[in-house]
Amino acid sequence: MALIVICGQPSSGKSLAATCLAEALKESEAKETVRIIDEASFHLDRNQSYTSMPAEKNLRGVLRSEVDRSVSKDNIIIVDSLNSIKGYRYELWCLARAAGIRYCVLYCDLEEDHCRKWNKERREKGEAAYDDKIFEDLVRRFEKPDRRNRWDSPLFELCPYKDGIENSSAAILDAVAYLTKKVDSKSRDVKILQPTIATQNTRFSEANSLYELDRATQEVINAIVEAQSKALGGPMNGISLGQGLPNISISRSVGLPELRRLRRTFIKLTGQTSLSGPPPPSDADSAKRMFVDYLNRELETTV
């Protein structure tokens, strides 16, 4: 139903904001399941996860894979992490688009000095905190979200130091209103991302459908080549492929390069049509019948 990306500097109150948002959604009219995906879900230590670029890349991969498995039109997923790199936020946006759901970013806007102070206070209390070196590196590399970017829009800005972080915070209430608003023909301010051909998963009817298509079309080509060789360039009244299958109507000699080109085009068109139309034929006879019809049309127009 929706994917919410929590974004902000280290120790800016993101986890508390995610919890408050989840509670506010549960208190609303939303009937979907609300789930938070964060480092703690996988028992990942925040310092170890950001100690090096490979470790950080692994962390993002783990979170992204879990988001990819979890997003659907039946639940609301909240990604509670730094999400500080705009390229990574774009990848999450693409996952939401592929799922055909709503998307938004909740940004915890807190000045670096306050983040540094909160991190120190957490360490003194024995709570999870960043090492100073890692903290400064993350602050330096943080890429602030920009609502002009589609992967950062709509953007809800939460100011933890000024307004606090509560279920009733203005930014959280605005996000809940956006996520739970019913969509109809008059809705203009709620955008549900639509998947494109690039993000759609190819639909397979059976595991061997493409194999059968490839094999069947090759058998038709072989039959045409064999019939033409037996005719020795003479006229042909039609090539039979067997009982229950249409005849191939050829009034001229067709070279093997042209037959191969027609075969490649047919297979490509069949694969493209299967994205939005019927799946490829799963049995050899159906594939042969479709290919013969295609050949008869194409060869008739090129006489």
Side-chain angles (χ1 to χ4, degrees), residues 60-222:
R60 291 197 299 268
V62 169
L63 295 177
R64 181 176 58 247
S65 297
E66 185 63 23
V67 171
D68 191 17
R69 286 192 293 266
S70 303
V71 289
S72 73
K73 296 183 180 180
D74 300 322
N75 57 24
I76 300 176
I77 301 298
I78 302 174
V79 186
D80 173 24
S81 185
L82 286 177
N83 300 318
S84 57
I85 300 175
K86 59 183 179 181
Y88 181 61
R89 294 197 296 271
Y90 172 73
E91 292 178 8
L92 295 176
W93 178 84
C94 287
L95 295 180
R97 182 178 63 173
I101 58 177
R102 304 184 196 194
Y103 173 91
C104 69
V105 175
L106 178 61
Y107 172 44
C108 294
D109 188 6
L110 189 64
E111 294 182 0
E112 294 179 13
D113 291 340
H114 292 302
C115 292
R116 196 172 285 107
K117 179 182 177 182
W118 285 7
N119 187 62
K120 182 179 179 181
E121 291 176 352
R122 290 176 181 175
R123 188 186 303 121
E124 293 174 349
K125 294 178 181 179
E127 300 176 356
Y130 295 95
D131 293 341
D132 291 337
K133 183 178 180 180
I134 293 177
F135 177 89
E136 296 300 333
D137 179 61
L138 293 174
V139 168
R140 178 182 57 83
R141 294 190 290 113
F142 179 76
E143 296 176 345
K144 185 177 179 179
D146 185 347
R147 65 179 72 251
R148 293 174 296 182
N149 297 327
R150 52 186 174 175
W151 54 86
D152 290 333
S153 177
L155 179 65
F156 300 100
E157 299 186 42
L158 178 66
C159 300
Y161 188 76
K162 297 179 181 178
D163 306 329
I165 306 176
E166 299 177 349
N167 297 16
S168 57
S169 297
I172 291 179
L173 292 179
D174 290 343
V176 171
Y178 175 81
L179 296 168
T180 58
K181 185 175 182 179
K182 294 183 179 180
V183 179
D184 52 33
S185 58
K186 298 180 180 179
S187 300
R188 299 292 182 185
D189 55 342
V190 176
K191 184 177 182 181
I192 298 179
L193 302 180
Q194 298 298 324
T196 63
I197 291 180
T199 59
Q200 282 181 325
N201 292 324
T202 305
R203 189 179 69 194
F204 294 97
S205 56
E206 293 184 11
N208 65 340
S209 60
L210 295 179
Y211 168 77
E212 290 292 347
L213 180 66
D214 183 81
R215 186 170 66 88
T217 53
Q218 186 59 54
E219 289 180 1
V220 172
I221 296 296
N222 293 340

Side-chain angles (χ1 to χ4, degrees), residues 15 36-44 59 63 78-81:
S15 296
I36 298 176
I37 296 178
D38 56 6
E39 291 96 331
S41 304
F42 303 94
H43 307 287
L44 298 172
L59 168 65
L63 295 177
I78 302 174
V79 186
D80 173 24
S81 185

Side-chain angles (χ1 to χ4, degrees), residues 3-47:
L3 174 63
I4 306 101
V5 174
I6 308 293
C7 176
Q9 296 275 19
S11 298
S12 59
K14 296 183 297 300
S15 296
L16 179 57
T19 301
C20 291
L21 177 60
E23 292 176 352
L25 285 168
K26 293 175 182 178
E27 294 170 357
S28 69
E29 299 178 356
K31 298 179 181 179
E32 293 78 10
T33 303
V34 181
R35 181 189 172 197
I36 298 176
I37 296 178
D38 56 6
E39 291 96 331
S41 304
F42 303 94
H43 307 287
L44 298 172
D45 180 82
R46 60 178 60 190
N47 285 309

Side-chain angles (χ1 to χ4, degrees), residues 213-214 216-218 220-222 224-225 228 248-271 287-288 290-303:
L213 180 66
D214 183 81
T217 53
Q218 186 59 54
V220 172
I221 296 296
N222 293 340
I224 296 174
V225 172
Q228 289 186 144
I248 305 172
S249 302
I250 297 180
S251 57
R252 63 178 177 87
S253 178
V254 184
L256 185 57
E258 183 178 1
L259 290 173
R260 287 174 175 171
R261 177 181 59 80
L262 290 169
R263 176 173 174 265
R264 287 195 301 268
T265 304
F266 172 76
I267 292 176
K268 182 178 180 181
L269 290 173
T270 304
K288 289 179 181 179
M290 290 177 59
F291 187 42
V292 169
D293 291 342
Y294 172 78
L295 287 176
N296 288 338
R297 290 195 308 269
E298 291 297 314
L299 293 175
E300 181 181 2
T301 59
T302 57
V303 172

